[in-house]
Amino acid sequence: MPHFGALEAGGAKMVCVVANAQGKILERTSVPFRIPETTMPELLNFFRGKGVAAMGVACFGPVDLDRSSPTYGAIQSSPKLDWRGFPILRRFEEALGVPVGIDTDVNAAALGEAVWGCTRSVSDSIYVTVDAGIGLGIIINGRPHHGMLHPEGGHIFMDRRADDPMVCGVCPYHPNCLEGLASEPAIERRWGRRAEELAECTAVWEMEAYYIAQALCSYIMVISPERIVLGGSVMRQEQMLPLVRKEVRRQLRGYIQGKGLDNLDEYIVPVSLGGDQGVLGAVKLAMDAYAERGGLL
Ligand code: ZN
């Protein structure tokens, strides 16, 4: 039975695994996030000699996912400047000589949950991560949605809460986008302390839930997902999930009546794969790349 290599390339570390086609992780390591010239050899050292049949890469974005593009699989205008323009897919293909699949980290996380986790019983779902940045992965008919580039749902524009003390959001592009108002750096700028030091401050999390719920209401109305998964460090604050569900119900004002909304505890859910949703999504990308080249799973 073939084994697959998978990489979750994040802003702090690179998680590498070898897994089988059932999503069972057989081996793993993590490599610090540095510049490509030092990080790539470390990544390749892990995967070489393991007989992987294909690779999957869950990559921080923006990344070129247009298969007809000459820069397909290359990192685009990332704030991680050393990686800007880096052809990560091609480097893996050349070095390992196997098919490589790629998607954004958040689409991969959405896919991991859809294949092996809490959205496997539905065909259309979304995954939202609220962390140092905010990302949105969309699964339509079981497949990650790309369209022109890929969704950038962290940068949708928000209606500011009247009592928000922060004058301008932290996003360098938009004064009022979701990431600018609700990411970890936004919490820190607004309240003057790091998010993890503010666990007891109710006002912090009510403000946070207001913005996240507002985004979820927009996603619900535009995408009509059958389930919503919330991940990332901010969502590990225990008070967040109940606050977000309550705010979603309040802000929707009964306008949408889907069966999912009858029970928000089952509609808006936490991650189910213990932090492995991204790398397991990358395993699925590898399996798909393998099957596309005629490999039998
Ligand atoms: Zn923005």
Side-chain angles (χ1 to χ4, degrees), residues 131-189:
D131 213 293
I134 297 184
L136 167 69
I138 302 177
I139 301 293
I140 303 286
N141 287 328
R143 304 295 312 153
H145 173 67
H146 298 138
M148 175 189 69
L149 171 68
H150 48 71
E152 278 288 340
H155 294 266
I156 61 170
F157 304 146
M158 295 279 105
D159 190 11
R160 290 173 67 97
R161 213 169 88 159
D163 61 345
D164 186 343
M166 185 164 62
V167 176
C168 182
V170 299
C171 174
Y173 293 92
H174 319 112
N176 287 320
C177 75
L178 174 64
E179 181 170 299
L181 294 175
S183 59
E184 258 186 353
I187 295 172
E188 191 174 340
R189 180 182 290 181

Short mmCIF file of all heavy atoms in Angstrom, two decimals, residues 131-189:
data_model
loop_
_atom_site.label_atom_id
_atom_site.label_comp_id
_atom_site.label_asym_id
_atom_site.label_seq_id
_atom_site.Cartn_x
_atom_site.Cartn_y
_atom_site.Cartn_z
N ASP A 131 -6.25 33.27 14.26
CA ASP A 131 -4.92 33.09 14.87
C ASP A 131 -4.15 34.40 14.65
O ASP A 131 -4.75 35.47 14.75
CB ASP A 131 -4.25 31.91 14.15
CG ASP A 131 -3.34 31.12 15.09
OD1 ASP A 131 -2.33 31.69 15.50
OD2 ASP A 131 -3.66 29.96 15.41
N ALA A 132 -2.87 34.30 14.32
CA ALA A 132 -2.12 35.51 13.99
C ALA A 132 -2.73 36.19 12.76
O ALA A 132 -2.67 37.40 12.60
CB ALA A 132 -0.66 35.17 13.73
N GLY A 133 -3.31 35.39 11.88
CA GLY A 133 -4.12 35.89 10.77
C GLY A 133 -5.46 35.18 10.83
O GLY A 133 -5.68 34.35 11.70
N ILE A 134 -6.33 35.52 9.90
CA ILE A 134 -7.62 34.83 9.82
C ILE A 134 -7.78 34.29 8.40
O ILE A 134 -7.55 35.01 7.42
CB ILE A 134 -8.79 35.77 10.17
CG1 ILE A 134 -8.63 36.23 11.63
CG2 ILE A 134 -10.13 35.06 9.97
CD1 ILE A 134 -9.76 37.09 12.15
N GLY A 135 -8.11 33.01 8.31
CA GLY A 135 -8.25 32.38 6.99
C GLY A 135 -9.56 31.63 6.89
O GLY A 135 -10.14 31.20 7.89
N LEU A 136 -10.00 31.48 5.65
CA LEU A 136 -11.24 30.77 5.36
C LEU A 136 -10.97 29.71 4.30
O LEU A 136 -10.48 30.03 3.22
CB LEU A 136 -12.29 31.76 4.82
CG LEU A 136 -13.55 31.16 4.19
CD1 LEU A 136 -14.41 30.47 5.24
CD2 LEU A 136 -14.35 32.24 3.47
N GLY A 137 -11.28 28.47 4.62
CA GLY A 137 -11.24 27.39 3.65
C GLY A 137 -12.66 26.98 3.33
O GLY A 137 -13.51 26.91 4.22
N ILE A 138 -12.92 26.74 2.04
CA ILE A 138 -14.28 26.40 1.61
C ILE A 138 -14.27 25.05 0.89
O ILE A 138 -13.47 24.85 -0.03
CB ILE A 138 -14.84 27.48 0.65
CG1 ILE A 138 -14.84 28.85 1.33
CG2 ILE A 138 -16.25 27.10 0.19
CD1 ILE A 138 -15.31 29.98 0.43
N ILE A 139 -15.13 24.17 1.32
CA ILE A 139 -15.30 22.88 0.65
C ILE A 139 -16.67 22.87 -0.02
O ILE A 139 -17.70 23.07 0.64
CB ILE A 139 -15.23 21.71 1.67
CG1 ILE A 139 -13.89 21.71 2.41
CG2 ILE A 139 -15.47 20.37 0.95
CD1 ILE A 139 -12.69 21.39 1.56
N ILE A 140 -16.67 22.70 -1.34
CA ILE A 140 -17.92 22.60 -2.10
C ILE A 140 -17.94 21.22 -2.76
O ILE A 140 -16.99 20.85 -3.45
CB ILE A 140 -18.00 23.69 -3.20
CG1 ILE A 140 -17.85 25.09 -2.60
CG2 ILE A 140 -19.29 23.56 -4.01
CD1 ILE A 140 -19.03 25.60 -1.84
N ASN A 141 -19.00 20.50 -2.55
CA ASN A 141 -19.10 19.13 -3.09
C ASN A 141 -17.86 18.30 -2.74
O ASN A 141 -17.34 17.54 -3.57
CB ASN A 141 -19.30 19.14 -4.61
CG ASN A 141 -20.70 19.59 -4.97
OD1 ASN A 141 -21.65 19.32 -4.23
ND2 ASN A 141 -20.84 20.30 -6.08
N GLY A 142 -17.38 18.47 -1.54
CA GLY A 142 -16.25 17.67 -1.07
C GLY A 142 -14.88 18.12 -1.54
O GLY A 142 -13.87 17.53 -1.17
N ARG A 143 -14.83 19.18 -2.35
CA ARG A 143 -13.55 19.64 -2.90
C ARG A 143 -13.24 21.06 -2.45
O ARG A 143 -14.16 21.89 -2.36
CB ARG A 143 -13.58 19.63 -4.44
CG ARG A 143 -13.93 18.30 -5.08
CD ARG A 143 -12.87 17.25 -4.81
NE ARG A 143 -11.53 17.77 -5.07
CZ ARG A 143 -10.42 17.31 -4.46
NH1 ARG A 143 -10.51 16.36 -3.57
NH2 ARG A 143 -9.24 17.82 -4.75
N PRO A 144 -11.97 21.40 -2.22
CA PRO A 144 -11.64 22.79 -1.87
C PRO A 144 -11.98 23.74 -3.02
O PRO A 144 -11.72 23.43 -4.18
CB PRO A 144 -10.11 22.75 -1.66
CG PRO A 144 -9.77 21.32 -1.46
CD PRO A 144 -10.79 20.52 -2.22
N HIS A 145 -12.56 24.85 -2.68
CA HIS A 145 -12.93 25.84 -3.68
C HIS A 145 -11.76 26.80 -3.94
O HIS A 145 -11.13 27.28 -3.00
CB HIS A 145 -14.14 26.65 -3.18
CG HIS A 145 -14.49 27.79 -4.06
ND1 HIS A 145 -14.98 27.62 -5.33
CD2 HIS A 145 -14.39 29.13 -3.88
CE1 HIS A 145 -15.17 28.81 -5.89
NE2 HIS A 145 -14.83 29.73 -5.03
N HIS A 146 -11.48 27.06 -5.23
CA HIS A 146 -10.41 27.99 -5.60
C HIS A 146 -10.94 29.20 -6.34
O HIS A 146 -10.65 30.33 -5.99
CB HIS A 146 -9.36 27.28 -6.47
CG HIS A 146 -8.69 26.16 -5.76
ND1 HIS A 146 -8.42 24.95 -6.33
CD2 HIS A 146 -8.27 26.06 -4.49
CE1 HIS A 146 -7.85 24.15 -5.46
NE2 HIS A 146 -7.75 24.80 -4.32
N GLY A 147 -11.67 28.96 -7.43
CA GLY A 147 -12.09 30.08 -8.27
C GLY A 147 -10.90 30.75 -8.90
O GLY A 147 -9.92 30.10 -9.28
N MET A 148 -10.93 32.08 -8.95
CA MET A 148 -9.87 32.85 -9.60
C MET A 148 -8.51 32.64 -8.96
O MET A 148 -7.50 32.46 -9.62
CB MET A 148 -10.26 34.33 -9.54
CG MET A 148 -9.23 35.29 -10.07
SD MET A 148 -9.72 36.98 -9.70
CE MET A 148 -9.53 37.04 -7.92
N LEU A 149 -8.47 32.67 -7.62
CA LEU A 149 -7.20 32.49 -6.88
C LEU A 149 -7.49 31.47 -5.78
O LEU A 149 -7.31 30.28 -5.93
CB LEU A 149 -6.75 33.83 -6.29
CG LEU A 149 -5.58 33.81 -5.32
CD1 LEU A 149 -4.29 33.43 -6.03
CD2 LEU A 149 -5.40 35.16 -4.61
N HIS A 150 -7.94 31.93 -4.67
CA HIS A 150 -8.52 31.11 -3.61
C HIS A 150 -9.20 32.09 -2.68
O HIS A 150 -8.90 33.28 -2.70
CB HIS A 150 -7.46 30.27 -2.88
CG HIS A 150 -6.23 31.04 -2.47
ND1 HIS A 150 -6.23 31.97 -1.47
CD2 HIS A 150 -4.97 31.02 -2.95
CE1 HIS A 150 -5.02 32.48 -1.34
NE2 HIS A 150 -4.23 31.93 -2.23
N PRO A 151 -10.14 31.62 -1.86
CA PRO A 151 -10.85 32.58 -1.00
C PRO A 151 -9.87 33.29 -0.07
O PRO A 151 -8.89 32.70 0.39
CB PRO A 151 -11.81 31.69 -0.19
CG PRO A 151 -11.94 30.44 -0.99
CD PRO A 151 -10.64 30.24 -1.68
N GLU A 152 -10.12 34.54 0.19
CA GLU A 152 -9.36 35.32 1.18
C GLU A 152 -10.37 35.88 2.18
O GLU A 152 -10.49 37.10 2.37
CB GLU A 152 -8.57 36.44 0.49
CG GLU A 152 -7.25 35.98 -0.12
CD GLU A 152 -6.18 35.64 0.92
OE1 GLU A 152 -6.28 36.10 2.08
OE2 GLU A 152 -5.24 34.90 0.57
N GLY A 153 -11.09 34.96 2.78
CA GLY A 153 -12.21 35.33 3.64
C GLY A 153 -11.84 36.02 4.92
O GLY A 153 -12.71 36.51 5.65
N GLY A 154 -10.54 36.09 5.23
CA GLY A 154 -10.11 36.84 6.41
C GLY A 154 -10.15 38.34 6.17
O GLY A 154 -10.05 39.13 7.11
N HIS A 155 -10.30 38.73 4.91
CA HIS A 155 -10.21 40.17 4.60
C HIS A 155 -11.55 40.75 4.14
O HIS A 155 -11.57 41.78 3.47
CB HIS A 155 -9.10 40.41 3.57
CG HIS A 155 -7.76 40.10 4.13
ND1 HIS A 155 -6.94 41.05 4.71
CD2 HIS A 155 -7.13 38.91 4.29
CE1 HIS A 155 -5.85 40.45 5.17
NE2 HIS A 155 -5.94 39.16 4.92
N ILE A 156 -12.64 40.09 4.51
CA ILE A 156 -13.94 40.71 4.20
C ILE A 156 -14.14 41.92 5.12
O ILE A 156 -13.59 41.98 6.22
CB ILE A 156 -15.11 39.72 4.34
CG1 ILE A 156 -15.24 39.18 5.75
CG2 ILE A 156 -14.96 38.59 3.33
CD1 ILE A 156 -16.51 38.39 5.98
N PHE A 157 -14.93 42.86 4.65
CA PHE A 157 -15.07 44.13 5.37
C PHE A 157 -16.16 44.05 6.43
O PHE A 157 -17.22 43.47 6.21
CB PHE A 157 -15.34 45.26 4.38
CG PHE A 157 -14.26 45.36 3.32
CD1 PHE A 157 -14.57 45.75 2.02
CD2 PHE A 157 -12.94 45.00 3.60
CE1 PHE A 157 -13.57 45.81 1.05
CE2 PHE A 157 -11.95 45.06 2.64
CZ PHE A 157 -12.27 45.47 1.36
N MET A 158 -15.86 44.64 7.55
CA MET A 158 -16.71 44.53 8.74
C MET A 158 -17.45 45.82 9.03
O MET A 158 -16.95 46.91 8.72
CB MET A 158 -15.83 44.24 9.97
CG MET A 158 -15.10 42.92 9.96
SD MET A 158 -16.19 41.59 10.50
CE MET A 158 -16.50 40.83 8.94
N ASP A 159 -18.59 45.65 9.66
CA ASP A 159 -19.30 46.77 10.24
C ASP A 159 -18.76 46.91 11.67
O ASP A 159 -18.90 46.00 12.48
CB ASP A 159 -20.80 46.42 10.26
CG ASP A 159 -21.66 47.60 10.61
OD1 ASP A 159 -21.13 48.73 10.64
OD2 ASP A 159 -22.85 47.39 10.85
N ARG A 160 -18.09 48.00 11.95
CA ARG A 160 -17.42 48.12 13.26
C ARG A 160 -18.42 48.27 14.38
O ARG A 160 -19.46 48.91 14.22
CB ARG A 160 -16.47 49.33 13.25
CG ARG A 160 -15.28 49.12 12.38
CD ARG A 160 -14.51 50.41 12.29
NE ARG A 160 -13.93 50.74 13.59
CZ ARG A 160 -12.67 50.47 13.93
NH1 ARG A 160 -11.87 49.87 13.08
NH2 ARG A 160 -12.22 50.80 15.11
N ARG A 161 -18.08 47.69 15.53
CA ARG A 161 -18.94 47.88 16.69
C ARG A 161 -18.73 49.30 17.21
O ARG A 161 -17.59 49.78 17.28
CB ARG A 161 -18.60 46.83 17.77
CG ARG A 161 -19.84 46.43 18.55
CD ARG A 161 -19.60 45.23 19.42
NE ARG A 161 -19.10 45.63 20.73
CZ ARG A 161 -19.18 44.86 21.81
NH1 ARG A 161 -19.73 43.66 21.74
NH2 ARG A 161 -18.69 45.26 22.96
N ALA A 162 -19.81 49.94 17.57
CA ALA A 162 -19.75 51.36 17.91
C ALA A 162 -18.80 51.64 19.07
O ALA A 162 -18.17 52.71 19.13
CB ALA A 162 -21.16 51.86 18.25
N ASP A 163 -18.66 50.68 19.99
CA ASP A 163 -17.80 50.94 21.16
C ASP A 163 -16.42 50.32 21.01
O ASP A 163 -15.69 50.19 21.99
CB ASP A 163 -18.49 50.39 22.43
CG ASP A 163 -18.72 48.88 22.35
OD1 ASP A 163 -18.61 48.32 21.22
OD2 ASP A 163 -18.99 48.27 23.39
N ASP A 164 -16.04 49.97 19.79
CA ASP A 164 -14.70 49.43 19.59
C ASP A 164 -13.68 50.55 19.82
O ASP A 164 -13.66 51.54 19.09
CB ASP A 164 -14.58 48.88 18.15
CG ASP A 164 -13.25 48.16 17.92
OD1 ASP A 164 -12.31 48.35 18.72
OD2 ASP A 164 -13.16 47.40 16.94
N PRO A 165 -12.79 50.38 20.80
CA PRO A 165 -11.84 51.47 21.11
C PRO A 165 -10.68 51.56 20.12
O PRO A 165 -9.93 52.54 20.13
CB PRO A 165 -11.33 51.10 22.51
CG PRO A 165 -11.50 49.61 22.60
CD PRO A 165 -12.68 49.26 21.75
N MET A 166 -10.52 50.56 19.24
CA MET A 166 -9.39 50.59 18.31
C MET A 166 -9.77 51.43 17.09
O MET A 166 -10.78 51.18 16.44
CB MET A 166 -9.02 49.17 17.89
CG MET A 166 -7.79 49.11 17.01
SD MET A 166 -7.09 47.44 16.88
CE MET A 166 -8.43 46.55 16.12
N VAL A 167 -8.94 52.41 16.79
CA VAL A 167 -9.27 53.36 15.73
C VAL A 167 -9.18 52.72 14.35
O VAL A 167 -10.02 52.92 13.48
CB VAL A 167 -8.33 54.59 15.82
CG1 VAL A 167 -8.60 55.56 14.67
CG2 VAL A 167 -8.51 55.28 17.16
N CYS A 168 -8.13 51.92 14.14
CA CYS A 168 -7.90 51.34 12.81
C CYS A 168 -7.41 49.91 13.01
O CYS A 168 -6.63 49.63 13.92
CB CYS A 168 -6.87 52.19 12.08
SG CYS A 168 -6.54 51.62 10.41
N GLY A 169 -7.86 49.02 12.16
CA GLY A 169 -7.45 47.62 12.26
C GLY A 169 -5.97 47.43 11.94
O GLY A 169 -5.30 48.35 11.47
N VAL A 170 -5.46 46.22 12.19
CA VAL A 170 -4.03 45.98 12.02
C VAL A 170 -3.66 45.54 10.61
O VAL A 170 -2.47 45.41 10.30
CB VAL A 170 -3.50 44.92 13.03
CG1 VAL A 170 -3.70 45.39 14.46
CG2 VAL A 170 -4.16 43.56 12.81
N CYS A 171 -4.63 45.31 9.73
CA CYS A 171 -4.29 44.90 8.36
C CYS A 171 -3.72 46.10 7.60
O CYS A 171 -4.31 47.17 7.59
CB CYS A 171 -5.53 44.38 7.64
SG CYS A 171 -5.22 44.02 5.89
N PRO A 172 -2.54 45.91 6.97
CA PRO A 172 -1.95 47.05 6.24
C PRO A 172 -2.73 47.43 4.99
O PRO A 172 -2.51 48.50 4.42
CB PRO A 172 -0.56 46.53 5.87
CG PRO A 172 -0.65 45.05 5.94
CD PRO A 172 -1.70 44.72 6.95
N TYR A 173 -3.64 46.58 4.54
CA TYR A 173 -4.38 46.85 3.31
C TYR A 173 -5.75 47.48 3.55
O TYR A 173 -6.23 48.24 2.74
CB TYR A 173 -4.59 45.56 2.50
CG TYR A 173 -3.30 44.98 1.95
CD1 TYR A 173 -2.58 44.03 2.67
CD2 TYR A 173 -2.81 45.41 0.72
CE1 TYR A 173 -1.40 43.51 2.16
CE2 TYR A 173 -1.64 44.90 0.21
CZ TYR A 173 -0.93 43.95 0.93
OH TYR A 173 0.24 43.44 0.44
N HIS A 174 -6.41 47.08 4.66
CA HIS A 174 -7.81 47.48 4.86
C HIS A 174 -8.02 47.99 6.28
O HIS A 174 -7.65 47.31 7.23
CB HIS A 174 -8.75 46.29 4.63
CG HIS A 174 -8.37 45.41 3.48
ND1 HIS A 174 -7.90 44.12 3.62
CD2 HIS A 174 -8.37 45.68 2.14
CE1 HIS A 174 -7.64 43.61 2.43
NE2 HIS A 174 -7.91 44.53 1.51
N PRO A 175 -8.67 49.14 6.42
CA PRO A 175 -8.88 49.65 7.79
C PRO A 175 -9.89 48.85 8.60
O PRO A 175 -9.84 48.85 9.82
CB PRO A 175 -9.39 51.08 7.54
CG PRO A 175 -9.90 51.10 6.14
CD PRO A 175 -9.11 50.07 5.39
N ASN A 176 -10.80 48.15 7.94
CA ASN A 176 -11.91 47.51 8.66
C ASN A 176 -12.14 46.06 8.26
O ASN A 176 -13.27 45.60 8.24
CB ASN A 176 -13.22 48.28 8.41
CG ASN A 176 -13.24 49.59 9.15
OD1 ASN A 176 -12.80 49.68 10.28
ND2 ASN A 176 -13.71 50.62 8.48
N CYS A 177 -11.09 45.33 7.91
CA CYS A 177 -11.34 43.94 7.53
C CYS A 177 -11.34 43.04 8.77
O CYS A 177 -10.89 43.43 9.85
CB CYS A 177 -10.36 43.45 6.48
SG CYS A 177 -8.72 43.10 7.10
N LEU A 178 -11.86 41.82 8.58
CA LEU A 178 -11.98 40.88 9.70
C LEU A 178 -10.63 40.63 10.37
O LEU A 178 -10.50 40.72 11.59
CB LEU A 178 -12.58 39.56 9.19
CG LEU A 178 -12.65 38.42 10.18
CD1 LEU A 178 -13.58 38.75 11.34
CD2 LEU A 178 -13.11 37.13 9.49
N GLU A 179 -9.61 40.32 9.56
CA GLU A 179 -8.30 40.04 10.14
C GLU A 179 -7.74 41.24 10.88
O GLU A 179 -7.14 41.13 11.95
CB GLU A 179 -7.33 39.61 9.03
CG GLU A 179 -5.93 39.27 9.54
CD GLU A 179 -5.06 38.61 8.47
OE1 GLU A 179 -5.43 37.53 7.98
OE2 GLU A 179 -4.01 39.18 8.12
N GLY A 180 -7.98 42.41 10.31
CA GLY A 180 -7.49 43.64 10.94
C GLY A 180 -8.16 43.93 12.27
O GLY A 180 -7.60 44.62 13.13
N LEU A 181 -9.38 43.42 12.45
CA LEU A 181 -10.13 43.73 13.67
C LEU A 181 -10.20 42.57 14.66
O LEU A 181 -10.53 42.78 15.83
CB LEU A 181 -11.57 44.15 13.30
CG LEU A 181 -11.69 45.47 12.53
CD1 LEU A 181 -13.14 45.71 12.13
CD2 LEU A 181 -11.17 46.64 13.35
N ALA A 182 -9.91 41.34 14.21
CA ALA A 182 -10.18 40.20 15.11
C ALA A 182 -9.07 39.17 15.20
O ALA A 182 -9.21 38.19 15.92
CB ALA A 182 -11.48 39.51 14.65
N SER A 183 -7.95 39.40 14.50
CA SER A 183 -6.83 38.45 14.64
C SER A 183 -6.14 38.68 15.99
O SER A 183 -6.43 39.66 16.68
CB SER A 183 -5.83 38.67 13.50
OG SER A 183 -5.34 40.00 13.56
N GLU A 184 -5.24 37.80 16.35
CA GLU A 184 -4.50 37.96 17.61
C GLU A 184 -3.79 39.31 17.72
O GLU A 184 -3.89 39.99 18.76
CB GLU A 184 -3.48 36.83 17.76
CG GLU A 184 -3.93 35.76 18.71
CD GLU A 184 -2.84 34.73 18.96
OE1 GLU A 184 -1.78 34.76 18.31
OE2 GLU A 184 -3.09 33.90 19.81
N PRO A 185 -3.09 39.73 16.67
CA PRO A 185 -2.45 41.05 16.76
C PRO A 185 -3.46 42.19 16.97
O PRO A 185 -3.16 43.19 17.61
CB PRO A 185 -1.74 41.20 15.41
CG PRO A 185 -1.55 39.81 14.93
CD PRO A 185 -2.72 39.02 15.43
N ALA A 186 -4.68 42.03 16.43
CA ALA A 186 -5.71 43.06 16.63
C ALA A 186 -6.14 43.10 18.09
O ALA A 186 -6.31 44.18 18.67
CB ALA A 186 -6.92 42.77 15.73
N ILE A 187 -6.29 41.92 18.68
CA ILE A 187 -6.67 41.87 20.10
C ILE A 187 -5.60 42.57 20.94
O ILE A 187 -5.89 43.39 21.82
CB ILE A 187 -6.84 40.40 20.56
CG1 ILE A 187 -8.02 39.76 19.82
CG2 ILE A 187 -7.02 40.31 22.07
CD1 ILE A 187 -8.16 38.26 20.06
N GLU A 188 -4.35 42.28 20.61
CA GLU A 188 -3.24 42.86 21.37
C GLU A 188 -3.20 44.39 21.22
O GLU A 188 -3.01 45.11 22.19
CB GLU A 188 -1.93 42.23 20.91
CG GLU A 188 -0.77 42.56 21.82
CD GLU A 188 0.50 41.81 21.44
OE1 GLU A 188 0.41 40.78 20.74
OE2 GLU A 188 1.58 42.27 21.85
N ARG A 189 -3.43 44.86 19.99
CA ARG A 189 -3.39 46.31 19.79
C ARG A 189 -4.57 46.99 20.50
O ARG A 189 -4.42 48.04 21.13
CB ARG A 189 -3.42 46.67 18.31
CG ARG A 189 -3.38 48.20 18.14
CD ARG A 189 -3.45 48.66 16.71
NE ARG A 189 -2.25 48.34 15.96
CZ ARG A 189 -2.09 48.68 14.68
NH1 ARG A 189 -3.04 49.34 14.04
NH2 ARG A 189 -0.99 48.36 14.03
#
